[in-house]
Amino acid sequence: MSQTTATDERTGRLRGTVAGLPRDLTGSQKLMVFVLSMALSGVANLVLEIIPDVTIGPVDVSVSYFVFVPLALVALLNPFWAALGAPIGEVIFVDLLMGDFSGLAEIEGIIQMFLALYIAGSLVRNPRNRLQIAIAAVTVVVIDKALSALVDLSKVWIGVEDAEFVEGLPESILLLEGIGYAVDILMSGVLFGVIPAIWLIPALHGRIEPLLGMRPRVPGEPIQGSAPRNAMFVAIAVALSVASFLFAFLEAWDIELGVFEPEWLDTYGPGFIWVGVGAAAIAFLVGVALARLARRNAGSEN
Amino acid sequence: MTAIIELDRLSFRYPGATRDSLRNVSLSIEEGDFVAVIGGNGSGKTTLCKTFNGLVPHYWVGEFAGEARVAGLDTYDSSVAELSATVGYVYQDFQNQLVRPRVRDEVEFGPMNFGMADFAARGAEAMAMLGIDHLADRFVWQLSGGQAHLTALASVLSMRPRIIVVDEPVAEVDPAGAHALYERLTQLNRDHGITVVVIEHHAEFISQYARSVILMDDGAPVWHLPVAEAAARADELAAHGIPAPQIVDACAAAEVPGAPRTVAEAATLLRDAGVSPSAASSLREDDAGERGIAAAPRPVVAASSLSHGYRTVGGDLMPVLHDVDLTIHAGDRVALVGGNGAGKSTLMRLLGGLQVPRGGTIVLDGVDTRSAPSARLADHAAYLFQRPEQMFLKDSVRADVLLHPAGRGRDDADALVDRVLDRVRLTEFADRDGRTLSGGQQRRATLAIGLAMSPALMLADEPTASLDVASRDSVIGMLDELSDTIAAAVVATHDMHLVAEWATRVVVLEHGRIVADLTPRALFADDALLAKARLVPPQIVALGRELGIDPLPLSVAQWREAVAPIRTEALA
Amino acid sequence: MSRKTRDVLSVEWVKLELIRTAYATRGGLFARMDPRMVIGWYLLLAVAPWLTHNFTTILALFVITAASAALARVGPLVLGLFLIGFFTDFLYAFLAAWLFGGDANTAIALIEINLKLATVSLASIAAFVSLDPEKLSTGLLALGAPELLAFGVSYGYRMMPILFEEFGIVFTGLRLRSAPGARGFLGLKALWRWGTYAVQAFYPIFLNTAKSVRTTVESLETRGFTANQGRELRIARLSIGGLDVAVVAVTVMAVMTAFGLGSRWPLG
């Protein structure tokens, strides 16, 4: 720009406040972040879907997701809406369209991924700091995979507790989960997480935000829509995780218990189905509460 | 008449910007007017139009001062939703405006969102007004560019707005489509009393269709005048990047006063003034010269009995090219023309080796395209995609230009890049991301990418699409200068100015067959062929024909030569 | 090696398949039904397999959904991906059983589980492949889903082929203009190169998509998407007809027959 310091005298009456201070996003800006995150994560997953998976024995060494794509969005834009858009985009773009839709169990994945991305995005205070980005990339995979590994392990735990079972099974499951976890962190977290992200995020910083009419994230300024650091958030996160476990079990109780102890259903009766319904209710209530909270925050800041 | 849009000392600054984008704008637009908003890049045209429907300041939240009243509503105190019932907005990249799968859903989307029970009737009415009822059940991705544009227009018309804003209507549709759209807008304006605001670069459309003109410069209007008065200020317009229409230039060159709005008017004016130019003296030699170059040609790419087709959504094979034979020689500047779906892009992709034909063979620079991978063919032919942003893969123009030569391990890569960037006059922008450049600069950057590949054949898909007149002329000039570094160039284009001023050979495709292969002058003299291929010659060519000049002038420069002798006679 | 135009397993083919799937252009039984009934039908077949451990019943249920998938005219890409997933799961199951020293019973139990999963998966393919985005999002609205999700479904379906094509173009550009190289051992070098292209392609894709999303959302704003008053109008368009009732009734009967078969001739 040739003239940068031109002070223009405004003769009209100034309406509202002077801009420049970071303020909360407008409803449509949130929609924009959400839609963008949905579209990009959808494409990333679609590309991944077409690459065939490689499985060595029982250990899956494929890339579970292109972490760097949603990570770039949560690190640069509003983490809440970007983190919400990414897993929903995956479900809509890939799972529904490709017939990979597993019904209510999808909600487990959405909650886990949302939590992982939301927390990771809030960790990146300076999008040009490669260390912060690397930590955030690994955090996504650690949180997401830890939650699902916990689900897997507890499935076995429940299955083993009252079944006459093969010696050493828990150990081997633990070993397999451990190897799977390590492979995931290496492949998804580092190879397709840290390495692309430390290049992509600084490259996009300051370039993508103006396209959306937003201010780039500046170190030192509070991040809009970042995860609150208080007990309330931790409580909600834990509640969400528990709800996601229950969703996982809705699918899993049959797999584990059904296989090894078919008379299980007779023992507990079909009433156990209500556990699933309860899980759905919890997740729904938490979702409503979150939406309320977000709306109230938006209302109070405007 | 009453004012429907009134702006009073309006200022606006985007968040994070260092300067106001609109500065103390005071303006009023009468109901029923047909207004063209003109001005250079960054003059605030689009921002101005976004204040009409409240996107500024409700969507783009920045500092907002002054008052804007639209149909009596203060935009600051009302919402985008309220204003949308009065103002409809059609975007330049209208394809992104279409969010629903079928045309009918798209058109009914607005009324339905606002909870209007008569949404179906409104949708049907809007489609009928634009004559696209027959498209109602089509999927939006099946539409041609022109049809998609009309759909976007219908989708705002269904709200029964009193004002319609159309951002650069000509940018992404072919000339015939652009005229059709303007005819529809004129009809809406005349028969339904809708106020139309267009952002437009092309003087010929402004003078033909608009009633008044607002010239924007640096965030404020310079003036708002009736179209005849505006057209008379040709010098001022030219200074703001809006060259006068060719026919106005033509009259000025012949020293005939007046600003004709159509070619017929111009011809009458000139005839009445007794101007009857004969052919420019240089033209015959020119023709001879062209033939001289073509005397001992080396074939750069040769296609023989080419046929190709695509699978459709229904699973059938849709033939696109039938039995095409085409040889392009060194020194050729070929323009591929023809309507949408004639097979231009397909032929270009095949020639460049991006795809291989289903039938027939292509020998590119001595290599059969079937025998080599496309990455190796990229050393022989550079293919420039239609949308420049698809070619900006790196974070700076320099990195993009460097990608190919550095990848091929050329030692002189850096020097080559410097030379190429200098050639397209982009050295000072070399470190910026290509997407942040203006339209004309983006095209020149893609040319630089192509040049740095040192190809024998350069293929460009619509290199002048969506450019304003000045940028278009600079791209044409650049293509002209570059002809010495590449053996041959082929462009697929709708732009008849490019055909007239740059090409030495025109290949007309229709339904996948070559129906003509001739010089531009021969093309513009053939009425039947023009009609068949849906082409509209540039104004200066049409004027030449109207006045019976032979050979036809293809540019204003040639016209000047043609009228120069008369002027000297008159003076003597 | 000579190049030729491929009709399958190319970028163009994937794009076409996406469009065909997304817009249910193959027709099929469920495409003509009310979306709420299709979702209901799906839930019926998604839940039924979990209520039994009778191998006969599970097999019968699998046959029902396989027939439904045939009636829904599921395309080759989706079916192919499903089959690949299905068979690798089977292999994995056998391998796991063998590793943990399981016997024939364990194997049968694992087959049973995989059949159940395949049944649910096929039902979801048959149902969701048949619903065009408009119908699906209206159906979701009618069932009380948030407006944002309903829009996301419809927008996602529309944009995906476009975005995928854009990705293809950018990827081609990178392939043509980047440094060529050897294939390497087992094509590993080529694989690595393609991996880096896939990652690099996201830089332009991010920026280009951001630009088009801006226009989309602005236009949504001006056309009242956020005004959010159209829910009832949209839902009012749905109607449950004879076909819907018939299909669901036939399915319910088929499922009951499956359970009946299971109790009379149990297999495991």
Side-chain angles (χ1 to χ4, degrees):
Chain A
M1 222 170 268
S2 52
Q3 312 150 270
T4 45
T5 52
T7 46
D8 306 298
E9 196 147 330
R10 292 185 191 139
T11 50
R13 171 167 66 100
L14 185 68
R15 317 285 288 269
T17 53
V18 174
L21 294 168
R23 57 154 102 190
D24 199 36
L25 298 182
T26 61
S28 36
Q29 283 175 322
K30 288 172 186 161
L31 179 62
M32 200 151 57
V33 172
F34 176 82
V35 169
L36 181 65
S37 171
M38 201 174 76
L40 287 171
S41 309
V43 174
N45 276 291
L46 184 65
V47 171
L48 207 57
E49 188 81 3
I50 287 160
I51 302 171
D53 290 355
V54 183
T55 314
I56 300 177
V59 178
D60 191 10
V61 288
S62 65
V63 186
S64 13
Y65 30 60
F66 280 158
V67 170
F68 69 97
V69 172
L71 183 69
L73 291 158
V74 291
L76 294 166
L77 307 170
N78 183 312
F80 181 85
W81 291 96
L84 200 61
I88 292 182
E90 184 191 338
V91 170
I92 290 173
F93 272 63
V94 183
D95 297 353
L96 271 183
L97 209 55
M98 295 288 187
D100 207 2
F101 185 65
S102 45
L104 285 177
E106 291 285 352
I107 296 173
E108 173 206 353
I110 291 180
I111 293 175
Q112 290 174 356
M113 198 62 196
F114 165 73
L115 276 178
L117 284 171
Y118 187 30
I119 293 170
S122 305
L123 287 177
V124 181
R125 312 195 66 80
N126 176 5
R128 293 195 183 257
N129 184 325
R130 301 214 143 93
L131 184 67
Q132 285 183 8
I133 296 170
I135 293 172
V138 176
T139 307
V140 176
V141 184
V142 167
I143 295 182
D144 181 48
K145 292 294 169 185
L147 288 176
S148 43
L150 274 178
V151 172
D152 286 354
L153 286 176
S154 28
K155 281 178 201 166
V156 177
W157 192 254
I158 295 169
V160 168
E161 218 173 16
D162 45 19
E164 65 282 49
F165 222 77
V166 192
E167 286 286 310
L169 178 66
E171 286 84 351
S172 48
I173 293 276
L174 202 62
L175 184 72
L176 281 181
E177 283 289 340
I179 294 174
Y181 198 35
V183 169
D184 270 328
I185 289 181
L186 205 68
M187 295 285 291
S188 304
V190 178
L191 198 60
F192 284 94
V194 175
I195 295 173
I198 57 175
W199 156 76
L200 183 67
I201 296 175
L204 288 172
H205 183 233
R207 287 206 168 95
I208 195 167
E209 301 91 339
L211 282 177
L212 300 171
M214 295 167 195
R215 272 167 64 88
R217 192 178 290 189
V218 179
E221 272 180 16
I223 305 166
Q224 300 164 24
S226 69
R229 284 145 203 270
N230 55 27
M232 180 65 183
F233 175 71
V234 176
I236 291 177
V238 169
L240 276 173
S241 313
V242 171
S244 89
F245 281 19
L246 290 173
F247 276 113
F249 282 117
L250 188 67
E251 178 190 35
W253 60 263
D254 192 278
I255 298 177
E256 300 304 331
L257 303 169
V259 173
F260 302 112
E261 206 164 15
E263 58 277 15
W264 177 86
L265 193 66
D266 303 334
T267 318
Y268 294 92
F272 196 73
I273 288 175
W274 290 105
V275 173
V277 177
I282 290 176
F284 176 72
L285 289 177
V286 170
V288 170
L290 271 179
R292 280 271 165 80
L293 203 67
R295 205 169 297 160
R296 196 175 318 142
N297 280 345
S300 63
E301 279 175 44
N302 278 349
Chain B
M1 284 225 198
T2 53
I4 191 161
I5 298 173
E6 289 172 287
L7 307 184
D8 182 23
R9 290 167 294 165
L10 191 75
S11 294
F12 180 74
R13 179 180 297 198
Y14 284 102
T18 51
R19 257 192 115 196
D20 287 1
S21 293
L22 292 178
R23 283 202 294 282
N24 299 321
V25 178
S26 294
L27 192 69
S28 86
I29 293 175
E30 304 282 301
E31 177 143 33
D33 202 352
F34 194 129
V35 190
V37 180
I38 60 177
N41 284 315
S43 60
K45 302 186 296 283
T46 301
T47 311
L48 177 75
C49 290
K50 284 183 180 170
T51 60
F52 299 163
N53 64 351
L55 281 173
V56 169
H58 296 294
Y59 184 87
W60 295 96
V61 185
E63 290 173 52
F64 184 88
E67 328 249 330
R69 302 187 80 77
V70 173
L73 289 172
D74 184 323
T75 63
Y76 192 86
D77 296 328
S78 41
S79 66
V80 176
E82 280 173 72
L83 290 163
S84 296
T86 312
V87 188
Y89 199 104
V90 181
Y91 288 83
Q92 187 182 355
D93 52 340
F94 54 87
Q95 296 280 7
N96 291 316
Q97 189 174 348
L98 308 177
V99 290
R100 293 273 141 176
R102 289 179 199 263
V103 172
R104 188 195 308 279
D105 304 322
E106 181 66 34
V107 176
E108 290 172 357
F109 185 62
M112 193 178 249
N113 281 329
F114 285 109
M116 300 170 180
D118 58 342
F119 62 88
R122 282 166 173 264
E125 175 195 276
M127 287 187 284
M129 273 159 90
L130 296 177
I132 53 167
D133 345 32
H134 61 288
L135 301 176
D137 292 314
R138 292 272 184 90
F139 287 114
V140 292
W141 39 263
Q142 291 174 320
L143 303 177
S144 71
Q147 290 171 337
H149 207 164
L150 285 175
T151 303
L153 183 59
S155 72
V156 304
L157 262 185
S158 60
M159 295 293 298
R160 297 193 185 137
R162 290 163 69 189
I163 305 164
I164 289 181
V165 182
V166 189
D167 195 345
E168 305 209 19
V170 188
E172 302 209 2
V173 288
D174 60 49
H179 278 284
L181 184 85
Y182 264 104
E183 292 296 342
R184 293 294 180 186
L185 287 174
T186 307
Q187 192 192 335
L188 294 176
N189 177 253
R190 197 182 49 223
D191 301 346
H192 302 273
I194 297 174
T195 309
V196 178
V197 180
V198 292
I199 299 175
E200 184 55 82
H201 294 301
H202 297 82
E204 65 252 46
F205 287 102
I206 299 169
S207 59
Q208 198 174 338
Y209 297 102
R211 295 190 196 184
S212 72
V213 181
I214 297 173
L215 174 65
M216 290 291 288
D217 184 39
D218 205 22
V222 181
W223 40 250
H224 181 188
L225 292 172
V227 69
E229 284 176 50
R233 304 193 175 196
D235 294 341
E236 205 174 336
L237 288 175
H240 286 97
I242 318 283
Q246 287 186 325
I247 44 173
V248 174
D249 270 353
C251 288
E255 291 180 348
V256 174
R261 293 175 66 148
T262 61
V263 172
E265 269 181 44
T268 318
L269 263 179
L270 288 165
R271 263 194 226 105
D272 291 350
V275 179
S276 58
S278 57
S281 51
S282 66
L283 283 182
R284 289 212 168 72
E285 295 153 31
D286 234 32
D287 272 358
E290 280 163 24
R291 264 181 239 114
I293 292 167
R298 166 175 79 91
V300 176
V301 63
S304 50
S305 356
L306 206 60
S307 62
H308 197 65
Y310 292 113
R311 293 281 161 192
T312 62
V313 169
D316 327 311
L317 186 68
M318 188 183 69
V320 179
L321 294 174
H322 308 269
D323 207 27
V324 168
D325 287 291
L326 180 68
T327 304
I328 289 163
H329 302 286
D332 273 358
R333 297 168 173 199
V334 181
L336 271 181
V337 300
N340 290 321
K344 301 190 297 290
S345 295
T346 306
L347 181 55
M348 300 252 293
R349 282 160 181 271
L350 293 175
L351 291 178
L354 265 72
Q355 291 167 355
V356 289
R358 287 178 191 266
T361 50
I362 292 178
V363 179
L364 170 64
D365 213 13
V367 186
D368 185 329
T369 57
R370 274 210 190 80
S371 68
S374 51
R376 246 194 53 218
L377 293 169
D379 297 341
H380 301 279
Y383 185 94
L384 310 186
F385 287 98
Q386 182 174 354
R387 288 171 46 224
E389 68 256 36
Q390 292 175 334
M391 298 199 64
F392 300 139
L393 309 176
K394 298 282 169 184
D395 58 1
S396 72
V397 174
R398 177 182 298 279
D400 267 318
V401 178
L402 186 64
L403 188 58
H404 184 271
R408 299 306 193 266
R410 291 180 58 154
D411 298 328
D412 60 339
D414 284 308
L416 172 76
V417 171
D418 286 335
R419 211 160 55 236
V420 167
L421 284 173
D422 188 48
R423 202 100 211 230
V424 298
R425 297 190 285 279
L426 284 178
T427 307
E428 58 175 314
F429 302 110
D431 295 320
R432 285 180 40 184
D433 186 295
R435 272 161 281 263
T436 61
L437 303 178
S438 73
Q441 289 166 342
Q442 290 196 5
R443 294 289 172 177
R444 302 212 307 262
T446 60
L447 281 180
I449 293 170
L451 276 180
M453 293 165 81
S454 315
L457 178 67
M458 172 97 91
L459 300 151
D461 202 347
E462 299 282 359
T464 55
S466 50
L467 292 185
D468 61 47
V469 180
S471 317
R472 181 189 69 193
D473 289 346
S474 93
V475 168
I476 295 178
M478 191 109 340
L479 277 169
D480 211 28
E481 285 174 35
L482 302 177
S483 53
D484 57 322
T485 45
I486 32 179
V490 181
V491 300
T493 188
H494 288 305
D495 180 359
M496 291 302 118
H497 289 95
L498 177 61
V499 174
E501 289 168 30
W502 171 81
T504 57
R505 185 176 163 195
V506 187
V507 174
V508 184
L509 277 177
E510 199 196 41
H511 302 309
R513 288 192 167 81
I514 294 180
V515 291
D517 185 347
L518 67 188
T519 65
R521 191 160 283 122
L523 168 73
F524 292 129
D526 187 341
D527 275 326
L529 187 58
L530 286 173
K532 197 169 164 189
R534 281 173 43 96
L535 303 176
V536 182
Q539 284 184 331
I540 197 74
V541 180
L543 182 63
R545 288 190 46 171
E546 196 90 5
L547 295 174
I549 309 175
D550 184 50
L552 286 169
L554 292 180
S555 63
V556 177
Q558 290 180 3
W559 164 269
R560 284 210 183 88
E561 283 181 45
V563 292
I566 310 170
R567 238 168 39 205
T568 21
E569 277 164 38
L571 285 174
Chain C
M1 203 175 69
S2 156
R3 295 164 69 201
K4 65 189 192 68
T5 303
R6 276 195 261 172
D7 285 329
V8 291
L9 299 179
S10 65
V11 171
E12 187 62 26
W13 177 73
V14 172
K15 197 190 86 191
L16 281 180
E17 278 300 315
L18 287 176
I19 293 176
R20 285 173 194 152
T21 311
Y23 292 101
T25 49
R26 291 178 206 277
L29 178 63
F30 303 100
R32 293 194 297 274
M33 285 172 59
D34 183 281
R36 289 170 294 183
M37 290 306 263
V38 177
I39 294 173
W41 175 92
Y42 161 70
L43 288 176
L44 180 69
L45 280 172
V47 170
W50 305 111
L51 301 178
T52 181
H53 296 289
N54 185 308
F55 198 71
T56 315
T57 309
I58 291 168
L59 214 57
L61 288 173
F62 179 75
V63 171
I64 294 172
T65 45
S68 310
L71 285 174
R73 297 193 203 160
V74 176
L77 174 72
V78 170
L79 212 56
L81 286 172
F82 163 76
L83 285 175
I84 291 171
F86 186 55
F87 283 114
T88 45
D89 280 352
F90 256 106
L91 280 176
Y92 172 67
F94 275 118
L95 206 69
W98 171 76
L99 261 180
F100 303 139
D103 53 8
N105 276 338
T106 327
I108 286 179
L110 283 169
I111 291 175
E112 186 189 311
I113 277 300
N114 275 310
L115 267 182
K116 281 185 183 181
L117 285 173
T119 305
V120 175
S121 191
L122 263 183
S124 91
I125 290 176
F128 292 104
V129 155
S130 301
L131 289 175
D132 71 41
E134 218 32 46
K135 273 187 151 182
L136 179 55
S137 77
T138 315
L140 286 173
L141 272 183
L143 297 173
E147 202 88 14
L148 197 60
L149 185 70
F151 170 73
V153 168
S154 155
Y155 172 79
Y157 275 35
R158 178 180 136 64
M159 285 309 286
M160 182 140 77
I162 297 174
L163 286 172
F164 188 71
E165 187 173 22
E166 176 99 359
F167 188 88
I169 290 177
V170 169
F171 190 88
T172 307
L174 277 164
R175 205 164 50 80
L176 295 185
R177 281 159 56 194
S178 297
R183 279 176 55 77
F185 175 65
L186 287 177
L188 277 180
K189 272 189 182 165
L191 200 68
W192 171 256
R193 240 187 354 260
W194 283 46
T196 57
Y197 295 161
V199 169
Q200 286 175 39
F202 276 96
Y203 173 78
I205 292 283
F206 259 79
L207 295 173
N208 298 350
T209 311
K211 219 173 129 193
S212 49
V213 162
R214 185 184 61 183
T215 302
T216 303
V217 175
E218 254 186 57
S219 136
L220 283 177
E221 183 84 13
T222 61
R223 291 161 66 200
F225 176 72
T226 43
N228 214 349
Q229 296 157 342
R231 200 181 182 108
E232 281 72 33
L233 284 179
R234 203 161 291 149
I235 295 169
R237 278 189 157 183
L238 301 176
S239 68
I240 293 172
L243 179 73
D244 301 289
V245 178
V247 169
V248 172
V250 167
T251 313
V252 169
M253 265 150 61
V255 169
M256 276 160 54
T257 313
F259 278 85
L261 281 175
S263 58
R264 187 161 302 177
W265 294 287
L267 273 177

